[in-house]
Amino acid sequence: ALSEAGLEAGAVENLAATRAAELDAEIAANEREQKNAGHWGVPLFVFENEPFFGQDRLDHLIWRMRQAGLQER
């Protein structure tokens, strides 16, 4: 998966090892924000304080974003 994304496994492992504390803090912050949004699983998106979780809600999320002015390119 890393190769398909254009990433080098060794570089990713090095990044994770050298920045472990920073990455752990970011994960903890994301978990807090997720719980504050009223959800604890994935996939989760929050748009204008409305949580959208689960693949079956992606169409609803896009609909809400279009209501707010999102335009396709």
Side-chain angles (χ1 to χ4, degrees), residues 36-63:
N36 289 339
H39 193 59
W40 54 91
V42 292
L44 168 70
F45 301 92
V46 179
F47 180 70
E48 295 185 347
N49 295 317
E50 182 178 359
F52 299 87
F53 50 91
Q55 292 175 339
D56 58 330
R57 296 289 312 268
L58 294 178
D59 289 339
H60 194 131
L61 168 63
I62 293 168
W63 175 70

Side-chain angles (χ1 to χ4, degrees), residues 1-10 12:
L2 290 172
S3 295
E4 287 182 27
L7 302 171
E8 184 182 321
V12 172

Side-chain angles (χ1 to χ4, degrees), residues 10-39:
V12 172
E13 288 178 15
N14 185 48
L15 176 74
T18 59
R19 295 177 59 191
E22 180 184 346
L23 294 170
D24 287 344
E26 187 165 342
I27 289 168
N30 287 339
E31 288 174 346
R32 280 190 304 276
E33 289 179 23
Q34 192 174 26
K35 287 179 184 175
N36 289 339
H39 193 59

